[in-house]
Amino acid sequence: LIYDYWFVQFDFPDENGKPYKSSGGKMVYNDVLKREIPKNWEIGRLKGKIRFQRGISYTSKDIATNSGIPMINLACIGIDRNYRDGELKYTIGKIKENEMLNKNDLLIACTDLTRNADIIGSPILVPSDNQLYTFSADIAKVESISSDINNLYLYMTLRTEYYHDYIKYFASGTNVLHLDLNGINWYYTWFPPIELQNQFAEFISNNQKQQYKLIEENQQLDKLRDWILPMLMNGQVIIE
């Protein structure tokens, strides 16, 4: 909602803290986008502003013990294009330093098993729970290499329906869809001033921290429930 209000309706806070467009902020018509955008905003493709890194390949032996380094994989992305907790694989394979992830790294689904391309190209963020992760080959890490685009702003830009309707046409395959990452390079969008992007990113970062804190608490409650329920059923403990 904040993204839509700031970067689609263009009512981000102006220098006086008032909604920009509604308060008479200067707008200019863009011939490429066929709409007005705020004055001094840049437009362009993502090509040259981002780089990709594909995840690791693994064997069934690497994940057979269900132990080792947690690996984010395609199952971690739901059809609602959100991160799915509890779908991690664990690998005992050798992982290089550059194959490890940092919290809030941006990941993209490169394959899709759904008929309607629900997942292909969808972005998720690495959980900010201070745990080390790696990622599988059906995922790619997307990293900003430009000083005029914030990774968290980019994440929200790639969550829009407009982007998803665009990117699914760069997927091909019969039973399994595979994404041509060049489709992301050629995506055309606007780039607000980096100060505004950074301000927005603070909201996203704080929300992510709260989200994963709640996920962690829910996991602990699940374990407590599974531990206490059998004792309740066999009469070892009672509730007064």
Side-chain angles (χ1 to χ4, degrees), residues 12-96:
F12 54 89
D14 64 13
E15 61 272 13
N16 298 314
K18 295 182 179 181
Y20 180 84
K21 185 177 180 181
S22 299
S23 301
K26 180 69 174 177
M27 303 289 290
V28 295
Y29 185 79
N30 182 269
D31 291 329
V32 176
L33 298 174
K34 307 298 183 186
R35 65 173 299 179
E36 288 188 332
I37 62 173
K39 184 181 179 182
N40 298 325
W41 280 29
E42 294 184 18
I43 63 165
R45 302 190 187 277
L46 291 175
K47 185 177 177 62
K49 297 180 181 292
I50 57 175
R51 63 185 172 199
F52 304 103
Q53 179 186 345
R54 294 299 292 261
I56 64 168
S57 299
Y58 61 92
T59 66
S60 56
K61 183 178 179 181
D62 291 333
I63 60 173
T65 62
N66 200 32
S67 61
I69 297 174
M71 179 172 59
I72 296 175
N73 59 88
L74 191 63
C76 295
I77 305 177
I79 59 172
D80 57 0
R81 303 197 284 279
N82 287 321
Y83 177 77
R84 294 176 68 196
D85 180 49
E87 299 295 338
L88 293 168
K89 291 182 170 69
Y90 292 83
T91 177
I92 58 173
K94 291 184 179 180
I95 308 297
K96 299 176 182 177

Side-chain angles (χ1 to χ4, degrees), residues 42-181:
E42 294 184 18
I43 63 165
R45 302 190 187 277
L46 291 175
K47 185 177 177 62
K49 297 180 181 292
I50 57 175
R51 63 185 172 199
F52 304 103
Q53 179 186 345
R54 294 299 292 261
I56 64 168
S57 299
Y58 61 92
T59 66
S60 56
K61 183 178 179 181
D62 291 333
I63 60 173
T65 62
N66 200 32
S67 61
I69 297 174
M71 179 172 59
I72 296 175
N73 59 88
L74 191 63
C76 295
I77 305 177
I79 59 172
D80 57 0
R81 303 197 284 279
N82 287 321
Y83 177 77
R84 294 176 68 196
D85 180 49
E87 299 295 338
L88 293 168
K89 291 182 170 69
Y90 292 83
T91 177
I92 58 173
K94 291 184 179 180
I95 308 297
K96 299 176 182 177
E97 185 176 350
N98 68 341
E99 295 170 336
M100 300 300 295
L101 297 169
N102 296 311
K103 63 182 180 181
N104 284 335
D105 275 350
L106 175 57
L107 304 177
I108 291 286
C110 294
T111 59
D112 194 340
L113 301 175
T114 68
R115 285 188 174 185
N116 298 321
D118 295 316
I119 295 173
I120 200 75
S122 297
I124 58 170
L125 294 175
V126 174
S128 53
D129 54 7
N130 298 316
Q131 184 167 248
L132 293 175
Y133 293 91
T134 187
F135 58 118
S136 64
D138 45 19
I139 301 284
K141 181 169 75 170
V142 183
E143 185 178 5
S144 169
I145 56 174
S146 172
S147 60
D148 61 0
I149 186 165
N150 182 289
N151 234 42
L152 291 177
Y153 169 77
L154 178 61
Y155 162 70
M156 289 302 301
T157 297
L158 301 185
R159 282 183 60 84
T160 61
E161 287 299 324
Y162 181 82
Y163 159 78
H164 189 256
D165 288 341
Y166 161 87
I167 199 62
K168 64 185 180 182
Y169 291 103
F170 289 86
S172 60
T174 306
N175 297 321
V176 179
L177 296 175
H178 297 277
L179 177 65
D180 179 355
L181 288 171

Side-chain angles (χ1 to χ4, degrees), residues 76 196 213 227 232:
C76 295
L196 184 61
K213 179 182 177 184
W227 174 72
L232 283 168

Side-chain angles (χ1 to χ4, degrees), residues 182-227:
N182 272 322
I184 303 176
N185 275 326
W186 292 110
Y187 185 62
Y188 212 96
T189 188
W190 48 72
F191 303 102
I194 191 62
E195 296 80 11
L196 184 61
Q197 292 184 44
N198 292 340
Q199 185 181 350
F200 174 73
E202 287 187 27
F203 285 106
I204 300 300
S205 181
N206 290 333
N207 287 344
Q208 288 294 317
K209 289 177 183 177
Q210 180 68 10
Q211 179 182 355
Y212 291 117
K213 179 182 177 184
L214 292 173
I215 288 175
E216 189 176 53
E217 290 178 359
N218 285 342
Q219 291 171 340
Q220 293 171 350
L221 287 171
D222 284 345
K223 291 177 181 178
L224 180 61
R225 176 202 61 201
D226 295 343
W227 174 72

